[in-house]
Amino acid sequence: MASTTATTTTKTDQRERARPNFLDIPGSTTPFLQETNNDTHAVTIINTFVLKSANDADLFLENWLRDANYMKKQYGMLSTQLHRAVGEESNVFVNIVSWESTEAFRRAFHNPEFQMHIGNFPSGTDVFPVLLKKIAVPGICTA
């Protein structure tokens, strides 16, 4: 599920910016956008961002912060946490977001205002999103 690759630049930062390439996890049998069509309560989205270069981390964080601020104002978003892979020059970030339901996430993600903003990430950023629901494992965890 690759997206557009058009790029833009700003006067203050001449690095190329683009909509991230949304890709399905290799080997996954259910594409991400198809996952969002299932109406499920209490879902978690894990987005793995792979930047073309660790040098783009500041630009990535600037845009992630803007998107996170938008999303936290949307109905049904419960929490978010950003992680960075260990290593001084890591180019991998993982965002874990809890939503009340797939419907709430779908509404926020497909909102034209949000879609307009996601085109400003560092050019070459790949995103591997997956939508999850808790499962019960006897003696270990509950759903």
Side-chain angles (χ1 to χ4, degrees), residues 26-43:
S28 174
T29 58
T30 307
F32 174 71
L33 287 179
Q34 186 177 334
E35 290 173 348
T36 66
N37 291 330
N38 296 311
D39 287 327
T40 305
H41 291 284
V43 295

Side-chain angles (χ1 to χ4, degrees), residues 42-59:
V43 295
T44 300
I45 296 173
I46 298 179
N47 291 308
T48 301
F49 297 87
V50 181
L51 310 182
K52 191 165 39 173
S53 166
N55 294 331
D56 291 329
D58 58 337
L59 181 57

Side-chain angles (χ1 to χ4, degrees), residues 53-70:
S53 166
N55 294 331
D56 291 329
D58 58 337
L59 181 57
F60 166 79
L61 290 168
E62 171 188 319
N63 287 283
W64 182 87
L65 177 62
R66 184 202 56 244
D67 289 352
N69 277 320
Y70 168 82

Side-chain angles (χ1 to χ4, degrees), residues 90-108:
S90 177
N91 65 328
V92 177
F93 291 83
V94 175
N95 181 39
I96 302 171
V97 189
S98 296
W99 285 88
E100 184 177 281
S101 66
T102 52
E103 180 184 356
F105 167 73
R106 212 174 28 242
R107 243 184 286 131

Side-chain angles (χ1 to χ4, degrees), residues 74-126:
Q74 304 309 302
Y75 171 80
M77 194 237 191
L78 304 174
S79 67
T80 188
Q81 179 64 55
L82 184 65
H83 303 263
R84 186 174 187 176
V86 176
E88 292 179 29
E89 296 299 318
S90 177
N91 65 328
V92 177
F93 291 83
V94 175
N95 181 39
I96 302 171
V97 189
S98 296
W99 285 88
E100 184 177 281
S101 66
T102 52
E103 180 184 356
F105 167 73
R106 212 174 28 242
R107 243 184 286 131
F109 183 78
H110 291 293
N111 183 305
E113 181 182 352
F114 178 71
Q115 289 296 313
M116 180 179 67
H117 291 288
I118 62 174
N120 290 317
F121 279 86
S123 182
T125 300
D126 291 333

